[in-house]
Amino acid sequence: MEVIIRDTREQAVQLVADVMEQAIRRKPRIVLGLATGRTMESLYDKLVEKHESLGLDFSQVTTFNLDEYVGLTADDPNSYRYYMDKHLFSRINIDRLNTLLPDGAAGDLDAECRYYEELIGSVGGIDLQLLGLGQTGHIGFNEPLSAMFSRTRPKALSPKTVEQNAPLFPDPEQMPRRALTMGVGTILDARRCMMLVTGKQKAEVVAKAVEGPVTSMLSATALQLHPRCTVVVDAEAGSKLENQEYYRWIFEHEPEWLAYQ
Ligand code: GLP
């Protein structure tokens, strides 16, 4: 795992956008794993900017989102499908048929999850998986006690996650209590993972995810086992990390990052 601390939120988001741009230019047929949440909105704005002003081409890109609420249809403004269309897909030249999310409104949710795993396999797996971090330490919606080898499945959301995301619903009571989510094992199969976390309210959970013991009680700790995972935080989110100086030193000395300084 690598940890990169950028002074501002803007710089943290810019770094992740730049890495994604480079990955897409290197492999135009890239398979991206995408995430939702407030943190990702400014990242998607940056990708749109790159498409508009630098001609970043998404025409051959395939995407798989991490998760979707159970019971919400694509046209529901609170569904993650709606979120992705609004913040990214409708604003770039991606083929909508190549933008995949699990269908939370499917009749048979278990079959839908198996199908989603098959789809990911059928395109050769995910090249670059983008991740955010929930207050419970979840990646996707892998709530505490999610097995490290779990695959895409329906999952009940924890009260803390409901508290975190319900304000995004016009009526907080309407927030679904279940979601379909890629499993921790599904995420660990991606060839590269990048987690973006900003803001002081995440400082504690970031410290646990990065420096704490690996435990299924905090699914982001599983990323410590991934051979190629980069965690990008702003100074606020990184403020409770014990080894901040070390992480900054690595960023300044690893050749890969020189181009991004
Ligand atoms: C939801 C998503 C997660 C995401 C999290 C972060 O819970 N399922 O994948 O990491 O939101 O949300 P925010 O960026 O709004 O803090």
Side-chain angles (χ1 to χ4, degrees):
M1 179 183 269
E2 263 182 320
V3 182
I4 296 176
I5 305 174
R6 305 304 281 140
D7 290 336
T8 66
R9 175 173 167 271
E10 161 72 23
Q11 287 173 316
V13 172
Q14 186 69 50
L15 180 67
V16 175
D18 289 346
V19 170
M20 291 181 80
E21 175 187 1
Q22 216 202 46
I24 295 166
R25 290 197 192 279
R26 268 197 202 143
K27 185 177 181 186
R29 296 181 69 84
I30 195 168
V31 180
L32 296 176
L34 297 179
T36 49
R38 285 157 278 213
T39 315
M40 298 302 154
E41 291 178 16
S42 45
L43 175 69
Y44 294 147
D45 286 344
K46 287 251 184 284
L47 292 180
V48 171
E49 235 173 82
K50 285 176 182 293
H51 168 64
E52 287 172 350
S53 58
L54 302 172
L56 186 60
D57 180 17
F58 290 84
S59 62
Q60 298 180 73
V61 173
T62 299
T63 66
F64 287 92
N65 264 78
L66 285 165
D67 44 20
E68 179 60 282
Y69 288 113
V70 165
L72 301 193
T73 50
D75 58 352
D76 187 311
N78 286 109
S79 71
Y80 282 162
R81 160 53 79 184
Y82 192 95
Y83 169 107
M84 290 308 302
D85 286 342
K86 176 176 162 193
H87 292 289
L88 188 63
F89 301 149
S90 66
R91 303 163 71 199
I92 54 175
N93 68 331
I94 198 163
D95 181 345
R96 201 170 180 280
L97 291 175
N98 294 335
T99 65
L100 292 312
L101 286 91
D103 179 2
D108 182 339
L109 294 175
D110 291 324
E112 171 62 16
C113 291
R114 282 194 300 275
Y115 176 60
Y116 200 62
E117 288 278 337
E118 275 166 29
L119 280 178
I120 296 173
S122 73
V123 297
I126 292 170
D127 292 304
L128 173 58
Q129 176 67 57
L130 180 66
L131 299 159
L133 181 63
Q135 287 295 359
T136 59
H138 69 209
I139 44 177
F141 270 132
N142 289 287
E143 298 288 36
L145 284 180
S146 288
M148 296 288 179
F149 295 147
S150 51
R151 310 304 303 186
T152 305
R153 69 214 183 289
K155 191 85 190 137
L157 302 175
S158 70
K160 211 172 183 177
T161 295
V162 174
E163 190 186 310
Q164 186 190 341
N165 288 358
L168 299 172
F169 287 72
D171 171 6
E173 276 309 304
Q174 272 171 13
M175 178 179 158
R177 271 34 180 179
R178 295 177 80 217
L180 304 185
T181 181
M182 279 187 202
V184 180
T186 319
I187 293 167
L188 291 179
D189 279 352
R191 285 181 270 281
R192 182 171 189 186
C193 288
M194 278 210 103
M195 184 160 80
L196 170 65
V197 195
T198 59
K200 59 176 180 303
Q201 70 286 0
K202 298 270 178 78
E204 210 155 302
V205 71
V206 166
K208 284 185 187 158
V210 169
E211 294 176 333
V214 174
T215 167
S216 61
M217 285 305 289
L218 207 137
S219 65
T221 61
L223 296 171
Q224 295 175 29
L225 304 172
H226 193 281
R228 193 144 190 250
C229 175
T230 308
V231 178
V232 180
V233 297
D234 64 359
E236 284 189 357
S239 61
K240 296 209 168 148
L241 290 165
E242 259 181 43
N243 298 291
Q244 292 175 47
E245 269 172 44
Y246 170 59
Y247 307 141
R248 287 186 189 270
W249 194 92
I250 295 284
F251 184 66
E252 282 158 22
H253 292 87
E254 269 298 343
E256 184 190 354
W257 300 114
L258 291 179
Y260 297 92
Q261 311 271 334

